[in-house]
Amino acid sequence: MSASTAPVRLLIVDDHPIVRDGLRGAFANSPEFEVVGEAGNGAEALDLVAELKPGLVLMDLRMPVMDGVTAIQRLGESAPEVRVLVLTTFDTDNDVLPAIEAGATGYLLKDAPTEELLRAARVAARGDAMLSPTITKRLMDRVRRPSLGVLSARELEVMRLVAHGSSNKEVAGKLFITEASVKTHLLRIYDKLGVRDRAGAVGEAFRRGLVT
């Protein structure tokens, strides 16, 4: 980095304080980055992005209040110039694909060495795609053998609401869609999860870890 180049403003988003401390430490000695804030969930992240104007967000996926995928989608609407590097422990299709579809610039696993994390952050900050080797292989395997079992981001939203007791009418109201759309999403969910009804879908969704 040249003397005239300002460091990339970095926001860390993770619901575990110990993880946030570790990530802050990983960037502490890099003149290329300045950690300007931390958030414990996606909702906090949206507020801090508006306030702090970071150039790059390190985003966990599974968090309370608002998950990472939803936050990435909202950032794409409110702050499309901000790059998002997903940093998570989860590498299943139902985690990776929705995050990338939502607009994540990169996807890295938390077991990556510090140097790989820094390199991924540099690449993502430039706006270039950055995927860990594990994720790249998973996506290539999916292209070669497409899986019918992967729920879209919207289907996951519907499934999570249904799993927590919402009726079709309630789901429609919360997602601002019609009941007919909810029914269509549910039929696709049943087909993808290999079940016949609502109860079966809920049970399978919990078994796969799609809902908690």
Side-chain angles (χ1 to χ4, degrees), residues 126-146:
R126 294 198 303 265
D128 296 328
M130 174 63 204
L131 302 176
S132 71
T134 301
I135 302 305
T136 300
K137 182 179 184 302
R138 180 174 290 280
L139 292 178
M140 290 179 67
D141 288 344
R142 174 169 168 74
V143 169
R144 291 167 181 151
R145 298 188 302 276

Side-chain angles (χ1 to χ4, degrees), residues 18-83:
I18 292 177
V19 173
R20 296 199 301 270
D21 287 345
L23 291 173
R24 180 180 283 274
F27 286 92
N29 295 321
S30 173
E32 299 171 86
F33 297 94
E34 177 190 2
V35 178
V36 295
E38 301 176 11
N41 59 65
E44 290 180 7
L46 294 177
D47 290 340
L48 288 178
V49 165
E51 176 187 347
L52 302 173
K53 309 298 184 189
L56 178 66
V57 176
L58 285 186
M59 183 78 74
D60 192 14
L61 289 184
R62 300 188 188 181
M63 298 178 290
V65 184
M66 182 186 290
D67 63 86
V69 169
T70 301
I72 294 168
Q73 291 172 329
R74 301 281 177 84
L75 283 175
E77 299 166 358
S78 63
E81 73 283 358
V82 177
R83 312 300 184 185

Side-chain angles (χ1 to χ4, degrees), residues 158 162 167-169 171-172 177-190 198:
V158 171
V162 167
S167 65
N168 285 4
K169 183 176 181 180
V171 172
I177 58 178
T178 66
E179 285 189 64
S181 294
V182 174
K183 292 177 182 178
T184 298
H185 285 308
L186 283 173
L187 289 175
R188 290 174 179 165
I189 289 170
Y190 298 163
R198 196 184 197 93

Side-chain angles (χ1 to χ4, degrees), residues 114-177:
T114 298
E115 189 51 47
E116 184 177 346
L117 170 61
L118 293 174
R119 183 171 65 86
R122 292 186 200 104
V123 173
R126 294 198 303 265
D128 296 328
M130 174 63 204
L131 302 176
S132 71
T134 301
I135 302 305
T136 300
K137 182 179 184 302
R138 180 174 290 280
L139 292 178
M140 290 179 67
D141 288 344
R142 174 169 168 74
V143 169
R144 291 167 181 151
R145 298 188 302 276
S147 171
L148 296 177
V150 180
L151 302 188
S152 69
R154 176 61 86 184
E155 288 164 353
L156 280 171
E157 290 179 319
V158 171
M159 187 67 258
R160 286 165 180 163
L161 289 172
V162 167
H164 289 95
S166 295
S167 65
N168 285 4
K169 183 176 181 180
E170 290 169 334
V171 172
K174 291 175 181 176
L175 297 182
F176 303 103
I177 58 178

